Amino acid sequence: MAQAKKIILLGATGSIGTSTLKLLRAYPNDFQLVAVSAHKNADALQSICQEFQVPTAILTDETAYLKAQSESRFQSPTQLHCGFEGIDECLKRQSADMAIIAIVGACGLQPTLTAIEQGMDIALANKESLVLGGSFLLDAARNHQARILPIDSEHNAIFQCLEGYTKKQIASITLTASGGALRNHPIGHLKNISPEEACQHPNWSMGRKITIDSSTMANKGLELIEARWLFDLSPEQLKVVIHPQSIVHSFVHWIDGSTLAQLSPPSMSFAIQHCLYYPDKKPSIQKGLDFEKAMQLEFSPPDFNRYPCLELAYEALKLNSNGIGGAIFNAANEVAVERFIAEDIAFTDIPKLIEQALSEPYGSDSISLEYLKNLDAEIRLKTKAYKLN
Ligand code: NDP
Ligand code: MG
């Protein structure tokens, strides 16, 4: 029998983390969970540690860590650690086979880089780290021979379609997008949308931030940038189509005129399972598509008037060849979403803040982790202070 794969799961208490744990529960002999992290949710993290007998747990929020320590919440065999230093040490110390990065936000960059430097497989859900880190992260992956396996369903679909082909055979790719919670809402009424309304997704059950990003389609913008780096394509080769059923997860168009797609029901379980077992396959824990039942698949081009964030993502892609546009787009969007959730700005102001950030004169020739972190912090500070007319 093959040895169990040693897995580090960062962001274990989130939506992707929970879906991953369902798979690990279903296949207990194939995987061993050696470390898990959460930000503040000590209760959920503790119960994961107890169930899976995890040796290392990390709470990245210091207050949550100190509270859990003072209450001796985590019992043997689990050792509790604190912060991103705790994550870094764990990635370096544990000789894991795979790190699943399911943390939300740009703070995923540092752990992704550290995991890459250990040469382990990276199952990457945290798209923000690729959008921010771009060529810098991929260079590191090449240098350390670390495989990046995309969990994001569209990129996972493209990854699957590309197996056995070379880059010069690709004409373009099309990412599918559900259109989010507000795809049929009158455009004139969008300015009155509340955070709760923007948080309802028609097909996917996901974390709060990515659900709002789906409503604005900033999520698809981030995914365009993610695809640009993962598959080394030009902005002109990257397209988006609205597909309300979320069954086709993306298309690859070949230079010979044919198109390949990957299909599965709208559940992240399929993409996560693909990464967990790659390049092997195991029976799914969920039912696949059933063509015995009638099914309709629809496709239509996105309207930039409804989704200005999408157009801004294309601008960000073209802004700077070394990827700074992605960093600006991502940081400004995260702050804009926070300001929208705090009811400080309207739903329709989110793209206005991103546009303002993209008009700032940032730029650099050489990119380092330090540079990216400082750039990210500077954009955030400015976007928090932007006034709207
Ligand atoms: P959730 O908000 O559901 O979960 C986020 C996880 O990260 C939780 O474990 C949370 O811990 C932890 N976390 C939150 N803030 C921080 C922080 N500041 N530092 C460290 N850890 C933190 O997110 P999702 O699971 O929806 O998304 C995770 C990533 O996967 C995102 O990058 C998203 O874009 C991407 N993704 C998600 C998809 C989905 O279907 N959900 C699909 C494709 C990609 P705690 O519980 O303690 O707050
Ligand atoms: Mg996606």
Side-chain angles (χ1 to χ4, degrees), residues 261-284:
Q262 184 267 336
L263 288 75
S264 50
S267 157
M268 290 308 295
S269 181
F270 297 93
I272 299 170
Q273 179 165 339
H274 173 262
C275 293
L276 278 172
Y277 280 107
Y278 183 81
D280 201 0
K281 289 201 185 287
K282 272 269 170 110
S284 164

Side-chain angles (χ1 to χ4, degrees), residues 10-17 37-42 59-60 84 101-105 107 125-128 151-153 204-210 219 223 268:
L10 304 180
T13 50
S15 162
I16 293 287
S37 87
H39 191 47
K40 292 183 177 173
N41 194 343
L59 280 167
T60 34
F84 283 87
I101 319 277
I103 288 173
V104 64
C107 58
N126 179 266
K127 62 190 83 183
E128 297 89 343
I151 285 185
D152 209 353
S153 55
W204 299 93
S205 153
M206 309 184 286
R208 197 170 158 85
K209 194 252 174 190
I210 184 172
N219 181 50
E223 291 182 354
M268 290 308 295

Side-chain angles (χ1 to χ4, degrees), residues 179-180 182 211-219 306-310 333 337 347 350-351:
L182 307 169
T211 308
I212 295 177
D213 284 352
S214 294
S215 298
T216 59
M217 261 172 96
N219 181 50
R306 178 177 287 281
Y307 300 112
C309 289
L310 192 58
N333 178 56
V337 170
F347 181 75
I350 295 174

Side-chain angles (χ1 to χ4, degrees), residues 126-143:
N126 179 266
K127 62 190 83 183
E128 297 89 343
S129 57
L130 257 185
V131 171
L132 176 59
S135 60
F136 173 70
L137 268 192
L138 287 164
D139 286 349
R142 255 187 305 276
N143 291 339

